[in-house]
Amino acid sequence: MKPFDYQRATDADSAIATVSRDPEARYIGGGTNLVDHMKLGITEPGKLVDITRLPYDSVESLPDGRVRIGATVRNSDLAAEPVIRQRYPVLAQALLSGASGQLRNLATTGGNLLQRTRCSYFQDVTTPCNKREPGSGCSALEGWNRHHAVLGASERCVATHPSDMAVALAALDADVLVAGPDGQRTVPVTELHRLPGDEPEQDTVLRHGELVTAVELPSLPFAVRSRYRKVRDRASYAFALVSVAAAVEVTDGDITDARIAFGGLAHKPWRATAAERALHGAPATEEAFRAAADAELAEAETLRDNEFKVPMTRNTLASVLRELTQQEGS
Amino acid sequence: MTGATRATSQGPERVEGRAKVTGTAPYAFEYPVTDPLYLHPLRAGIARGRIASIDTAAAERVDGVHTVLTHHNADALNPVGDPELAVLQSDGIDFRGQLVGAVVAETPEIAAHAAGLVDIRYERLPHDSEFRDDANIVYTPDADASPMLSPDLERGDVDTALAEATHTVDVTYTTPPEHHNPIEPHAVIATWDDDGLTLHDSNQGSHLVRDLLAPLVGLDKERISVIAPHVGGAFGSKGMPHGHVALTVLAARRTAGRPVKCALSRTQMFELVGYRPPTRQRVRLGADSDGRLTATEHDSLEQTSRFKQYAEQSASASREMYASPNRRVTNRLAALDVPAPTWMRAPGEASGMYALESAVDELAVRSGIDPIDLRLRNEPEVAPVSGLPFSSRNLVACLRQGAERFGWHERDPRPGTRREGDWFVGTGVAAASFPSLLFPGSLATIRHESDGKYRVEIGAADIGTGARTALTQLAAEGLEVPFEAVELRLGSTEQPNAGLAGGSAGTASWGSTVVDAVRAFRAEHGSDPGEGVETTAGAAGNPDLGKYAMNAYGAQFAEVRVHADTGEVRVPRMLGVFAAGRIVNPRTAHSQFLGGMTMGISMALHEHSVVDERFGHVVNHDLAGYHIASNADVGSIEVSWVDEHDPHVNPVGAKGIGEVGIVGTAAAVGNAAHHATGVRVRELPLTPDKFLR
Ligand SMILES: Cc1cc2nc3c(=O)[nH]c(=O)nc-3n(C[C@H](O)[C@H](O)[C@H](O)COP(=O)(O)OP(=O)(O)OC[C@H]3O[C@@H](n4cnc5c(N)ncnc54)[C@H](O)[C@@H]3O)c2cc1C
Ligand code: SF4
């Protein structure tokens, strides 16, 4: 671990200025991902700017029905927030399915979104990895890739994004509010993370020094009936093999609106637009659920150890939709 | 949460329990020592070859770095027959992660930082780390040179019996490498000063560590002390000292008396402290129309490392378990460029009984005979191979009592037919057995302090088992004084010689020693001894040794649920019924069985060290990647035991209980998963993908 400086930011502008002009500076939220990476030698920042004292630690219901979540709200607090539990159960469930109680107490909204892949080769500096060291090769492509991507991957990188929270946010069409040296901008959460392409070292579209200040949820009334289902190798404290975030609106036995996102399948939370289109106007039947899954998974490309993800995703989506539509009907 | 049966929670509480939960019981790394230095190991980045060059200049320039050790400047060690201990003695590399140097510095952070600045260049040789059945790597181990191994066994005519059998099973099971992962990582503080060498070390036997280190470093035994009163779990991984101990000792020789502290990281523990080797086991069973076994064949292939042979005998599970006139048992090894495996809780039995007890279940399904009934029909009168009578064998009672408690008689045998909501539900059973061992050579000192207070000293190890408490009980019982009147000291070479905490033989070996030493004390000093008198004595030999087959037994029952859509596997309920002789302390014994069964669930569902053959290392080398059962994976576990009085095993009458709890668990879970789904998975662990449909 390289020696580094530490500063506690008291206002956003100077924090942004500090990080923007120093390529070796990094923001630190809960530190549950960044500090691990420093210990493992994956990253060696010269300066850490702690943003947890900035005034981004609250959840606000806005007059137009939207909900704004500050970037430093802790995962535990967000999951316990009544407005989240009532109006966006999918988000509360996703949060609570992630990591452990202790970790969630530290993890922040911004840090959770920007956590990096858990690919074992990425985390092991003794093995080649294009994401960590561009051009060195991808060890996972022909190695242990049980947890790796089946959608949207490239020859350069087949990593998955590990966040549960982000999958729920993708299904909910959330926006990410970003402040940078040149002012503010809004990025839809589905566009925050990139596909690996030729630059797997770039996880997101953010530029160095840009600070996530909040996440905004749209009003989306039918999200009261929403669900996050995470399938993993043990009952708790494990990353998703496959996860499904879904909200559906059913009218007279037909699906009139659906929001679906998958986790564990891609370099980003995977918004399943093809599945949504297939469901639109379809009857709430097992066949329709499976056809929707197949529409999304048609492009799936599996690797040595992750073939199971395709049937597992199909079954899990069907299971979640079954549950949500039965709930709706009753 | 885990449900414990009240009735079994009696017995004195752990003597050191309060100190442990209040954080005042010191573990190896926590000993207050003056002005310590910290060691960060350097590990090989290739799996086979040699170090072409190693440049330590940049590391040595870092402020606070005391020494950088490599094979160029390390002191010579004497060969002691354990290649793991011969650290920094050459430029050769036998496995990825091998110790190739160390940075010793004022803080752990400086040591780690400087370690990253050491530039090592290699000359690679092609390596082979892929476990498989391949004549190029497979050989028959020399049974004489491997104490844990019996030679191949051939009785009768297996092939003819199989050909003529009414029911046959011919199946192959695989078990993956598993790492022990005790909660306390391996750690040592070495101080080498004018008084000699002192080690605060996390181990399973301080005397054994001393006995190995003395010749290694050329010091008289008397000049070495090894201290380990509290050890946070071991499971076999701390049975023998590993390379990091030798490395830390080498470093301590260079620091003019300053203590050197070394704690391995989780990741380093996946390279340096052993593991349960993967196995591939073929089991063939033949039975007549009544389900009586006519043939039993068990052929096991196991991994070892090329630089150090480790041989355990998974197939030997089938030597004495069931009656069978025709029998063939073979054990083979596959030698690879990998770290050396070692004992891990029930070495051999855990893997071997998984295969045998799964195959027996397959035979039950094939023959339509209830799996408990099938086992009862194959109960041997005497030990099948040796022909010796059993000192006691109560497998039948375990199975019967377990069936009763578990509600087995209500079971519908058809697989894949019960569903509750989204879950398929099934139940399974498996038998367990573990040899009752006794290690000779331990000594205990019994000393009357004053006013009826006694001190008992024995250099045994309490690795979390409750040994200290059980031995205190046995001493108090023998002396006929209250429990509180005995202070028992163990864990250090300051106390008389005692064997390893291993083979579930602690209570038997040390307990017999304490019992016999107490007798010797009374014989010498009578019932009203003076102040300060003491006697040191060992256990009298057991005249029944070699005259009886001595084993503990158990029956494991599991209820398993498999999610119909996702394949997730849950174990909401387990019951273990054991027959293990005298249970000295029901409270701590209960914990041992419970712990064994929990580890068995973990073995069944999760544990798998994934090897990337291209590099020769374990890829999922941390606790986020290597799954151990979490609380949510463990449902209700009920533990009980049958009354068993065995006058032959040892003076205590106790059989080992530390390991039998993990034996058979994975088979019971796998058998229940098959009963739930109709899917027979023959490859551990039982992950969700294997049940997807
Ligand atoms: C053992 C383990 C198990 C886990 N299991 C799960 C799981 O099952 N599911 C899951 O979803 N997650 C899991 N996690 C990951 C956990 O959710 C993340 O570590 C956590 O959410 C990161 O948040 P943080 O605030 O600690 O981020 P930090 O570590 O502080 O930061 C992460 C990154 O984000 C940057 N950053 C932080 N805040 C901002 C901001 N406001 N603006 C711009 N950049 C910022 C940092 O510079 C850094 O690059 C697990 C982690 C561990 C260690
Ligand atoms: S999948 Fe991506 S992160 Fe993993 S090794 Fe390949 S390039 Fe690196």
Side-chain angles (χ1 to χ4, degrees), chain A residues 117 119-122 127-132 137-141 148 156-160 196 200 267:
Chain A
T117 184
C119 171
S120 316
Y121 302 100
F122 170 74
T127 53
C129 166
N130 284 329
K131 185 183 277 297
R132 186 170 24 78
C138 170
S139 295
L141 195 58
H148 288 70
R156 300 281 176 90
C157 177
V158 290
T160 50
H267 198 255

Side-chain angles (χ1 to χ4, degrees), chain B residues 321-411:
Chain B
M321 196 59 196
Y322 298 113
S324 177
N326 304 291
R327 194 183 303 265
R328 184 186 294 139
V329 177
T330 69
N331 289 289
R332 296 287 174 273
L333 294 179
L336 294 169
D337 302 307
V338 293
T342 194
W343 311 304
M344 178 162 161
R345 203 172 198 170
E349 290 81 9
S351 321
M353 289 291 280
Y354 162 67
L356 175 63
E357 289 300 299
S358 303
V360 168
D361 195 69
E362 298 210 41
L363 182 65
V365 173
R366 189 82 37 101
S367 64
I369 300 170
D370 175 79
I372 291 183
D373 200 17
L374 182 67
R375 288 177 173 89
L376 298 182
R377 291 181 198 194
N378 288 290
E379 183 66 10
E381 305 247 305
V382 294
V385 175
S386 63
L388 294 174
F390 291 105
S391 64
S392 59
R393 170 167 166 132
N394 284 302
L395 174 60
V396 171
C398 294
L399 286 165
R400 289 223 165 101
Q401 289 188 20
E404 187 65 32
R405 270 173 182 258
F406 197 72
W408 188 262
H409 52 279
E410 292 154 21
R411 182 178 189 259

Side-chain angles (χ1 to χ4, degrees), chain B residues 442-448 454 474-475 478-479 511-527 529 533-540 651:
Chain B
S442 297
L443 295 171
T445 299
I446 315 292
R447 178 186 163 88
H448 179 232
Y454 290 83
L474 290 172
L479 289 163
S512 303
T513 305
V514 167
V515 167
D516 284 348
V518 164
R519 281 189 195 134
F521 175 89
R522 284 291 185 228
E524 193 178 338
H525 304 293
S527 56
V533 301
E534 62 177 54
T535 298
T536 298

Side-chain angles (χ1 to χ4, degrees), chain B residues 413-501:
Chain B
R414 291 170 304 155
T417 51
R418 286 149 309 277
R419 197 161 156 168
E420 284 177 27
D422 290 335
W423 299 85
F424 290 111
V425 185
T427 50
V429 66
S433 102
F434 193 86
S436 303
L437 305 172
L438 193 141
F439 300 136
S442 297
L443 295 171
T445 299
I446 315 292
R447 178 186 163 88
H448 179 232
E449 304 277 52
S450 62
D451 304 331
K453 300 247 187 261
Y454 290 83
R455 191 160 93 196
V456 177
E457 301 201 19
I458 179 165
D462 189 331
I463 55 175
T465 55
R468 183 183 277 107
T469 311
L471 295 177
T472 305
Q473 277 179 270
L474 290 172
E477 193 179 284
L479 289 163
E480 299 180 329
V481 299
F483 181 78
E484 295 71 27
V486 174
E487 184 204 349
L488 192 120
R489 295 195 182 171
L490 54 64
S492 150
T493 51
E494 286 155 18
Q495 295 114 26
N497 181 57
L500 195 68

